[in-house]
Each structure stands twice: as C-alpha cells, then as structure tokens.
Amino acid sequence: MSDSVLVTALPAAGRFHFDLTLFYDSSTTADIKVAFTIPAGATIRWGGNGPSVAVAAGVGTGQYGTVIASGGSLPFGGSGVGTANTMMAIARGTVVMGGTAGNLQTQYAQQALDATNTVVREHSRLQVWKVAAS
C-alpha cells in the first residue's frame, strides 16, 4: 500500500538523502514489510533496522538489511495490534535522480497475511533533503 503522507516529489536531477521513522503495530503473524518506489531512471540504496520478525513481545533481536531496487522491501516484526503494541522501524537511504521527476513513495504491507490490521501510526515521518546537484 502506498502511503499518502510519507511521500515527497523530487525534481528530475539531484542526489537526495532520506530518513523514515515508522511507528506501527501489527500482529506477530502479520509483521510488516516496508518499501520505497522511485521514478524510472533513478537509483536508490537504503537500509533499515527495527524489530526482528521473531519478536513476540516487543523485545528481542533486531532486523537489519539493505535494498537497491525500487519496490524492494525489508520485513520488520510486530508484537500485537493496538497502540499499546506500537513498534518503531527506521530506514535511511539515498536516491539519485535520473532525468525524470517523480515521487519517493513509502509503501508498506503485511509480511504474512493475517486477519488483523497492520496500522502505521501518527508521528511517523519521512524527511528528505538535497545533498548534490546530480
């Protein structure tokens, strides 16, 4: 699912860094996977860290990884539904635009299908800044 708030329009040229802080809750079965899409011709490299998909009660090991493709995702663990179970994942990366303007778009979905809702909570944020002309 593309998020209508965690998105930003980028011009046709430039190098941009971004930070995503994602507050969410999800069942221990569903977990969550996070991805970013970019315009055709652009390149992306990002990494994330958050709770492992093995987490069952809000404590445990971390999940870490990197992605170099538009739409490529990383999974993070859930500890239950409802605000009392809110977890946090962080992603950081770089986008180099390739001549076509377009959006850096945050996407997320359940890692595994589950009848309970996975919810991205308020105070989640995507910060983007330009670091070079090309």
Side-chain angles (χ1 to χ4, degrees):
M1 166 176 153
S2 293
D3 191 287
S4 63
V5 175
L6 303 174
V7 59
T8 191
L10 298 176
R15 177 182 301 266
F16 299 85
H17 288 184
F18 64 91
D19 285 343
L20 171 73
T21 302
L22 193 70
F23 295 101
Y24 67 94
D25 60 79
S26 186
S27 74
T28 57
T29 299
D31 298 319
I32 190 171
K33 61 183 174 181
V34 178
F36 296 94
T37 58
I38 53 175
T43 60
I44 189 169
R45 180 178 301 269
W46 68 276
N49 62 301
S52 166
V53 295
V55 168
V59 295
T61 60
Q63 186 90 7
Y64 308 93
T66 59
V67 177
I68 59 169
S70 180
S73 65
L74 289 176
F76 300 105
S79 66
V81 295
T83 55
N85 295 297
T86 298
M87 306 292 273
M88 183 180 80
I90 297 171
R92 294 186 171 133
T94 301
V95 174
V96 179
M97 298 302 286
T100 302
N103 290 338
L104 170 62
Q105 176 73 61
T106 307
Q107 298 180 322
Y108 50 84
Q110 290 183 335
Q111 173 69 8
L113 293 179
D114 186 71
T116 61
N117 288 331
T118 295
V119 178
V120 170
R121 296 289 175 189
E122 65 180 336
H123 305 297
S124 295
R125 68 180 189 274
L126 175 65
Q127 296 175 294
V128 181
W129 62 98
K130 189 172 188 175
V131 294
S134 60

